């Protein structure tokens, strides 16, 4: 067979390495389209002059554009037959990616567990993104619920990997050495708030909201070469449990990050993703808003000009962000669609 129907749960083997197809060279055009889709306003990825003034070679591509591009490489081999993308952990942004860089990806299967219904199974993978020189630029783990080809096929021996709940602060400090934050222009960045202006437990209502339309989320997902049928194929989507096309979860992550500018304008880079969960689906016509909680404030060793904030950003649909909907006991409040725990860097 010359065509690819995607892998089913039975097709994965613990410890196997998957080298994904189609390297992708990213350009300023990709960054411009990304900005048009989400309206991100962080100065580092918007201005060559601003980026150079704090030590970057030039304006780096948005961190999440890099994440989605690497993620998109993995879809044909990992999640084409997925029911749901369940979560993320141990995400590390390892180096800036600039226009003209080429990204490619490799994944290792680190866990397998068949579901109790025998019809699906969870696959854990660790994916690494590389640039054209073979340097690692991104690493993360995710786990996916994947359909079985034959429910009667034997289950593999279950193996659930142990993943760190938080990326250690000393690991994210590597983002800072080349930067010269003493030249950071707060006026041009859009806000005066520094590291010391945030406190543990503080909640920030990002105020703004965006309504998602069918065309834009499909355009975004094509930008990342994500081939998951549930995002594009109406006939296939109508047979799913949702009955209509599902918006790619990464689209929600990028919307939440863009919305967080209002309150976190100086969180100039995402350094790591500790954990993430797509709590509920999003569909065209829904309106997304977001709020963030400061889980921890962490000075970086040897640096008096930059610190790290551990944030929990919650995206909600069709309700105001200011009511801080979140966990309710063992579950989530109605309307919560994303719960993301991550580190950002911010000037002190």
């Amino acid at each position: 067979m010359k065509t690819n129907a995607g892998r089913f749960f039975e097709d994965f083997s613990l410890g196997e390495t998957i080298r994904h197809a189609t390297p992708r060279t990213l350009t300023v055009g990709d960054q411009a389209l990304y900005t048009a889709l989400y309206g991100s306003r962080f100065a580092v990825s918007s201005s060559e002059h601003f980026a150079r003034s704090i030590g970057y070679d030039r304006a780096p591509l948005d961190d999440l554009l890099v994440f989605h591009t690497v993620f998109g490489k993995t879809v044909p081999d990992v999640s084409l037959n997925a029911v749901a993308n369940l979560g993320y952990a141990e995400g590390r942004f390892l180096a800036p990616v600039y226009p003209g860089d080429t990204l490619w990806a490799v994944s290792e299967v680190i866990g397998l567990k068949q579901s109790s219904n025998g019809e699906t199974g969870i696959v854990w993978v660790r994916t690494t993104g590389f640039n054209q020189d073979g340097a690692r630029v991104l690493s993360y783990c995710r786990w996916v619920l994947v359909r079985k080809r034959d429910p009667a096929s034997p289950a593999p021996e279950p193996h659930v990997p142990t993943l760190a709940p938080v990326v250690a602060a000393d690991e994210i400090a590597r983002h800072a050495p080349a930067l010269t934050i003493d030249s950071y222009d707060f006026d041009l960045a859009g806000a005066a708030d520094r590291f010391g202006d945030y406190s543990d437990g503080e909640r920030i209502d990002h105020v703004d909201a965006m309504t998602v339309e069918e065309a834009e989320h499909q355009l975004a997902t094509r930008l990342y070469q994500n081939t998951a049928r549930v995002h594009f194929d109406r006939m296939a989507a109508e047979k799913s449990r949702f009955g209509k096309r599902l918006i790619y979860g990464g689209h929600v992550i990028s919307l939440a990050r863009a919305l967080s500018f209002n309150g976190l304008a100086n969180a100039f880079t995402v350094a790591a993703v500790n954990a993430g969960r797509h709590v509920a689906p999003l569909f065209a016509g829904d309106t997304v808003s977001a709020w963030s909680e400061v889980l921890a404030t962490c000075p970086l060793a040897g640096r008096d000009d930059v610190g790290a904030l551990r944030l929990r950003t919650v995206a909600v649909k069709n309700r105001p962000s200011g009511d801080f909907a979140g966990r309710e006991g063992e579950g989530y409040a109605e309307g919560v669609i994303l719960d993301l725990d991550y580190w950002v860097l911010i000037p002190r």
Side-chain angles (χ1 to χ4, degrees):
M1 179 182 290
K2 295 183 174 63
T3 56
N4 176 24
R7 288 182 173 218
F8 293 86
F9 181 69
E10 302 97 310
D11 300 323
F12 293 93
S13 300
L14 188 66
E16 74 169 307
T17 297
I18 306 168
R19 195 163 181 249
H20 304 293
T22 319
R24 178 88 154 83
T25 302
L26 294 171
T27 69
V28 292
D30 295 293
Q31 179 63 41
L33 180 53
Y34 184 89
T35 302
L37 289 164
Y38 303 107
S40 179
R41 292 178 283 162
F42 294 97
V44 161
S45 295
S46 298
S47 167
E48 294 277 340
H49 173 75
F50 189 98
R52 288 195 180 101
S53 74
I54 64 169
Y56 287 99
D57 292 346
R58 53 195 188 281
L61 297 171
D62 191 285
D63 303 304
L64 293 179
L65 172 58
V66 172
F67 173 82
H68 297 319
T69 300
V70 172
F71 184 101
K73 303 297 98 191
T74 72
V75 170
D77 300 313
V78 175
S79 51
L80 199 62
N81 293 309
V83 177
N85 191 47
L86 299 178
Y88 310 95
E90 297 186 0
R92 297 173 175 86
F93 292 84
L94 302 171
V97 175
Y98 296 104
D101 284 346
T102 297
L103 301 183
W104 55 283
V106 173
S107 294
E108 179 188 0
V109 179
I110 60 173
L112 293 170
K113 183 181 180 182
Q114 182 169 293
S115 305
S116 58
N117 62 14
E119 297 179 354
T120 58
I122 302 175
V123 179
W124 285 262
V125 296
R126 184 185 304 277
T127 295
T128 304
F130 300 87
N131 68 12
Q132 65 280 358
D133 299 319
R136 298 191 310 151
V137 299
L138 173 70
S139 176
Y140 66 91
C141 297
R142 69 164 170 140
W143 48 104
V144 189
L145 185 65
V146 180
R147 295 180 182 88
K148 291 186 69 175
R149 179 184 290 106
D150 178 8
S153 63
E157 188 70 25
H159 178 80
V160 178
T162 300
L163 300 174
V166 180
V167 176
D170 60 354
E171 292 188 41
I172 66 173
R174 75 184 84 191
H175 290 254
L179 303 182
T180 52
I181 303 298
D182 54 333
S183 300
Y184 192 97
D185 190 322
F186 289 86
D187 290 333
L188 293 180
D193 302 306
R194 301 170 180 256
F195 174 78
D197 295 314
Y198 296 89
S199 57
D200 293 5
E202 177 182 359
R203 288 186 171 187
I204 304 164
D205 176 7
H206 298 306
V207 179
D208 304 313
M210 294 188 195
T211 301
V212 179
E213 305 297 347
E214 198 79 81
E216 65 193 30
H217 88 85
Q218 291 187 67
L219 181 62
T221 312
R222 290 189 188 100
L223 175 66
Y224 317 131
Q225 296 175 317
N226 182 334
T227 57
R229 299 181 186 94
V230 72
H231 304 314
F232 302 113
D233 186 337
R234 179 180 57 80
M235 293 184 293
E238 286 175 349
K239 297 176 183 177
S240 73
R241 62 190 176 115
F242 301 117
K244 53 185 173 180
R245 281 172 286 195
L246 177 67
I247 289 173
Y248 163 50
H251 196 71
V252 180
I253 295 175
S254 283
L255 284 173
R257 168 68 172 161
L259 291 168
S260 76
F261 178 88
N262 194 347
L264 289 164
N266 292 313
F268 63 89
T269 190
V270 178
V273 174
N274 301 307
R277 180 177 177 184
H278 297 294
V279 177
L282 183 72
F283 303 103
D286 287 339
T287 298
V288 177
S289 56
W291 60 271
S292 293
E293 178 182 1
V294 180
L295 297 178
T297 54
C298 182
L300 296 182
R303 298 297 298 252
D304 60 5
D305 59 345
V306 64
L309 300 180
R310 182 183 170 194
L311 301 173
R312 177 198 180 202
T313 294
V314 176
V316 297
K317 64 179 181 181
N318 305 327
R319 64 185 296 168
S321 57
D323 60 11
F324 299 120
R327 283 189 177 273
E328 290 187 347
E330 296 299 315
Y332 283 87
E334 182 180 355
V336 175
I337 54 177
L338 173 72
D339 192 348
L340 188 67
D341 177 341
Y342 59 110
W343 288 103
V344 297
L345 298 187
I346 189 168
R348 295 182 68 176

